[in-house]
């Protein structure tokens, strides 16, 4: 959506509250509203932050809270409406959006962050918007780039009871969305039970899958009944043989496509997910054509990250010039296609700003259209979200900044998730873009990009190091090429007979 249409959405709302709550008086109210209170919302007794109760009331829910909370809520509601009006947003659009409990949780997180930490660039949050939970290490494929080296279940994976307790922890922390990944989560016997638990608590239930199980419509319908709202399916080529080679099992392309078709038929929010490599970078338009023919809602192009099996296949990675050209292609394609085209490469935010003369931006996982508040919202999101707006959890409860950055920062079996999120020194470092090293730390685009922290860790062993995949960091890539000691050097295709030869 562009122009005034986008202005009627959440962009103006987020920018507005960021402006109006950036003073000591309103921030004091917001800090008080971050405290949990017992209220009755739509007939159900709950304990939630007062700001969540306010947003629920604004969305039209029946809300009954203690008198002091009601007075506070009335003030917050007034300021929120003022913020929408200030930036010429459409109040009815915001109210309609807030009727989604998961979105209310997300906005509540933003407002709590403003109250607790003030305005920061990018915005610091009291909990992540999203948790990517590697639900199990069990998998039925053998992907060349798998960050988990997924194969068999780990011997110490969380029990069902521990999984339920973890969902409770994440609920109380205020997490808005939980995406189950893996391994392959859909083949685990606890999958449907946990999806149901996530959904019942008002959190957004999502899954990242290879599509094998959901090619059976009955399985996907069962998941939807349990509360699944989003399906992301990995598909790495428009060529079935190439995809099956990359994923390690014949027939995986056909099942992935069938799952996407099933999701479209059921009206479940869906995404075709592509890992960009030297194998498929020349077929971006073919992949988008395939997505269009299926009718998918969006396509996300993931960065290749040298972790897990990816360490053994460094030749797959794009060099900075190749990545730049692909990202520019993605932006141009997004302008002419009827679905969203996003990328997890943080540089996509910079590329979109440059190609649109600063009018449009696509920070990691998001798109903000042609709108005067575009820069404010982009800096609010802040590019790479590892340890800032999302975190990963391993099958055995270990918390990591990102599923592509397997650095343990705690374990939910020993410490509550909120304590880990609040007190981890690494997570706090990742929230401060001024601590980044090399050119990333002084780049004028660091607040909308900041480089991929997982790639920095994968290549340099330091999550604050420069991301060598950026065109502005080409010198670091050249250093890697000169210093690489692996059998297949960075950016170098395998010799005849090696892995990937003949593809």
């Amino acid at each position: 959506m562009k122009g005034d249409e986008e202005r009627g959405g959440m962009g103006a709302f987020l920018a507005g509250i960021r402006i109006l709550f950036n003073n000591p008086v309103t921030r004091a109210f917001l800090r008080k509203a971050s405290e949990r209170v017992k209220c009755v919302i739509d007939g159900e007794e709950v304990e939630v932050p007062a700001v969540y109760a306010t947003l629920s009331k604004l969305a039209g829910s029946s809300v009954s809270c203690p008198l002091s909370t009601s007075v506070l809520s009335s003030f917050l509601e007034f300021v929120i409406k003022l913020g929408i009006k200030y930036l010429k947003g459409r109040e009815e659009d915001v109210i309609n959006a807030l009727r989604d409990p998961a979105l209310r949780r997300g906005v509540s997180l933003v407002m709590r962050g403003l109250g607790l930490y003030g305005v920061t660039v990018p915005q610091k949050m009291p909990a992540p918007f999203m948790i990517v939970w590697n639900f199990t290490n069990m998998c039925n494929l053998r992907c060349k780039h798998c960050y988990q080296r997924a194969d068999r279940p780990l011997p110490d994976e969380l029990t069902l009871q521990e999984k339920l307790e973890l969902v409770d922890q994440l609920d109380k922390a205020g997490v808005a969305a939980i995406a189950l990944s893996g391994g392959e989560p859909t083949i685990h016997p606890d999958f449907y039970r946990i999806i149901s638990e996530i959904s019942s608590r008002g959190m957004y239930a999502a899954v990242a899958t290879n599509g094998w199980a959901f090619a059976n419509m009955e399985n996907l319908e069962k998941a939807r009944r349990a509360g699944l709202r989003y399906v992301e399916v990995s598909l790495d080529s428009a060529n079935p043989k190439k995809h099956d080679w990359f994923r390690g099992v014949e027939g995986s392309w056909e099942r992935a496509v069938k799952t996407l078709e099933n999701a479209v038929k059921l009206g479940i929010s869906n995404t075709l997910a592509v890992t960009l490599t030297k194998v498929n970078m020349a077929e971006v338009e073919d992949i988008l054509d395939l997505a269009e023919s299926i009718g998918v809602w969006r396509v996300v192009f993931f960065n290749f990250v040298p972790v897990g099996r990816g360490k053994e296949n460094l030749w797959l990675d794009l060099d900075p010039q190749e990545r730049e050209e692909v990202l520019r292609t993605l932006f141009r394609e997004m302008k002419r296609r009827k679905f969203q085209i996003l990328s997890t490469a943080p540089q996509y935010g910079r590329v979109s700003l440059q190609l649109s003369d600063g009018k449009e931006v696509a920070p990691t996982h998001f798109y903000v259209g042609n709108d005067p508040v575009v820069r404010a919202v982009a800096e609010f999101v802040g590019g790479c979200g590892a340890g800032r707006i999302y975190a990963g959890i391993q099958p055995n409860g270990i918390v990591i900044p990102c599923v592509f950055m397997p650095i343990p920062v705690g374990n939910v079996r020993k410490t509550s998730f909120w304590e880990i999120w609040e007190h981890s020194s690494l997570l706090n470092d990742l929230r401060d873009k001024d601590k980044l090293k090399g050119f990333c730390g002084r780049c004028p685009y660091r607040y909308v990009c900041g480089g991929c922290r997982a790639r920095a860790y994968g290549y340099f062993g330091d999550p604050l190091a420069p991301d060598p995949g950026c065109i502005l960091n080409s010198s670091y890539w050249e250093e890697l090429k000169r210093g690489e000691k692996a059998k297949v050097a960075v950016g170098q295709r395998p010799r005849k007979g090696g892995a990937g030869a003949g593809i």
Side-chain angles (χ1 to χ4, degrees):
M1 299 178 73
K2 308 291 189 295
D4 291 337
E5 292 180 348
E6 183 68 25
R7 171 56 61 86
M10 296 303 294
F13 175 58
L14 291 174
I17 62 174
R18 202 167 182 231
I19 293 170
L20 293 177
F21 284 105
N22 190 25
N23 69 75
V25 176
T26 53
R27 186 184 166 195
F29 276 95
L30 203 50
R31 191 182 305 114
K32 182 66 177 175
S34 298
E35 298 175 2
R36 297 178 71 87
V37 294
K38 289 184 178 180
C39 298
V40 177
I41 300 178
D42 290 332
E44 182 181 356
E45 186 173 332
V46 293
E47 185 175 335
V48 294
V51 66
Y52 181 85
T54 301
L55 295 171
S56 299
K57 182 173 179 288
L58 187 63
S61 293
S62 171
V63 178
S64 176
C65 295
L67 179 60
S68 59
T69 302
S70 298
V71 172
L72 180 61
S73 292
S74 296
F75 173 76
L76 291 178
E77 187 175 346
F78 168 76
V79 176
I80 289 169
K81 290 182 177 180
L82 184 64
I84 298 170
K85 185 176 181 180
Y86 177 76
L87 285 174
K88 299 180 181 178
R90 289 196 295 272
E91 184 178 314
E92 62 273 20
D93 288 356
V94 174
I95 290 173
N96 285 334
L98 289 174
R99 291 193 174 116
D100 182 340
L103 195 144
R104 282 205 301 272
R105 293 175 73 95
V107 174
S108 175
L109 271 178
V110 171
M111 297 181 71
R112 287 168 56 203
L114 291 169
L116 294 171
Y117 312 116
V119 172
T120 62
V121 181
Q123 187 59 49
K124 186 177 179 182
M125 304 291 179
F129 280 121
M130 181 174 70
I131 289 293
V132 180
W133 181 357
N134 290 332
F135 199 63
T136 178
N137 209 58
M138 173 171 54
C139 192
N140 48 2
L141 301 189
R142 298 294 180 269
C143 305
K144 298 286 187 292
H145 67 314
C146 180
Y147 58 79
Q148 281 290 105
R149 296 184 186 273
D151 184 352
R152 300 175 182 176
L154 300 178
D156 60 344
E157 292 188 358
L158 298 177
T159 65
L160 174 58
Q161 184 57 41
E162 287 176 318
K163 291 185 178 87
L164 293 170
E165 291 170 358
L166 175 55
V167 173
D168 182 62
Q169 282 193 44
L170 299 177
D171 176 19
K172 290 177 179 176
V175 171
I178 300 177
L180 301 188
S181 187
E184 177 52 42
T186 63
I187 62 175
H188 194 283
D190 294 340
F191 173 74
Y192 296 98
R193 176 69 180 87
I194 296 303
I195 287 292
S196 177
E197 186 68 19
I198 293 168
S199 178
S200 70
R201 292 169 178 264
M203 291 182 281
Y204 193 81
V207 66
T209 176
N210 58 39
W212 196 272
F214 287 163
N216 182 329
M217 179 67 92
E218 290 182 3
N219 291 336
L220 186 54
E221 288 178 328
K222 180 180 178 181
R224 184 179 66 166
R225 289 194 300 270
L228 183 67
R229 297 182 58 184
Y230 175 89
V231 179
E232 180 179 282
V233 184
S234 298
L235 191 69
D236 293 296
S237 176
N239 181 321
K241 289 184 178 180
K242 191 183 290 187
H243 171 89
D244 289 356
W245 167 82
F246 191 70
R247 294 286 166 175
V249 175
E250 187 175 348
S252 58
W253 185 92
E254 183 179 357
R255 285 181 176 257
V257 169
K258 186 62 177 177
T259 291
L260 286 166
E261 291 173 345
N262 287 345
V264 171
K265 287 178 183 177
L266 289 179
I268 298 176
S269 182
N270 56 83
T271 292
L272 188 160
V274 186
T275 299
L276 276 171
T277 66
K278 288 189 184 297
V279 171
N280 61 16
M281 67 178 182
E283 56 174 312
V284 165
E285 293 184 31
D286 291 338
I287 292 171
L288 293 174
D289 287 343
L290 174 62
E292 200 162 35
S293 70
I294 296 171
V296 301
W297 295 14
R298 68 188 62 81
V299 180
V300 175
F301 288 83
F302 278 74
N303 252 335
F304 173 88
V305 180
V307 65
R309 292 194 193 109
K311 287 183 177 180
E312 301 158 9
N313 293 287
L314 296 180
W315 68 274
L316 288 167
D317 200 4
L318 307 187
D319 66 37
Q321 185 61 46
E322 289 169 336
R323 180 171 284 99
E324 187 78 3
E325 291 173 2
V326 170
L327 292 179
R328 286 174 172 266
T329 297
L330 295 184
F331 183 79
R332 287 192 292 267
E333 289 294 319
M334 181 173 63
K335 299 297 291 181
R336 75 179 189 88
R337 305 268 182 173
K338 295 182 180 180
F339 52 85
Q340 289 185 343
I341 301 173
L342 308 175
S343 177
T344 65
Q347 294 83 9
Y348 196 38
R350 169 184 56 77
V351 168
S352 57
L353 278 170
Q354 290 175 331
L355 293 182
S356 67
D357 295 324
K359 296 176 182 177
E360 300 180 52
V361 67
T364 312
H365 289 291
F366 296 90
Y367 170 71
V368 181
N370 187 5
D371 188 284
V373 302
V374 61
R375 176 72 74 163
V377 175
E379 291 186 349
F380 189 91
V381 175
C384 178
R388 291 192 312 101
I389 59 176
Y390 67 85
I393 298 179
Q394 296 284 43
N396 56 7
I398 291 175
V399 179
I400 52 181
C402 166
V403 293
F404 296 101
M405 193 193 304
I407 307 174
V409 295
N411 192 315
V412 295
R413 278 175 164 152
K414 300 176 181 178
T415 311
S416 74
F417 176 81
W418 183 86
E419 289 181 82
I420 296 169
W421 178 263
E422 185 70 12
H423 300 298
S424 164
S425 58
L426 174 57
L427 297 185
N428 279 294
D429 283 346
L430 290 170
R431 294 163 194 162
D432 186 350
K433 294 297 182 77
D434 293 328
K435 287 191 174 183
L436 299 181
K437 300 174 183 178
F439 185 73
C440 281
R442 58 182 185 275
C443 177
Y445 294 99
R446 65 186 179 278
Y447 298 129
V448 296
C449 172
C452 174
R453 298 297 94 219
R455 286 175 52 81
Y457 175 70
Y459 277 118
F460 296 114
D462 180 357
L464 300 179
D467 176 356
C470 178
I471 194 73
L472 303 179
N473 279 335
S474 295
S475 61
Y476 297 103
W477 182 261
E478 293 303 316
E479 287 179 17
L480 285 169
K481 286 175 66 177
R482 290 193 297 270
E484 178 59 43
K485 297 180 180 179
K487 291 182 180 179
V488 180
V490 167
Q492 179 180 321
R493 195 176 183 83
R495 294 179 180 178
K496 185 176 180 180
I503 296 300

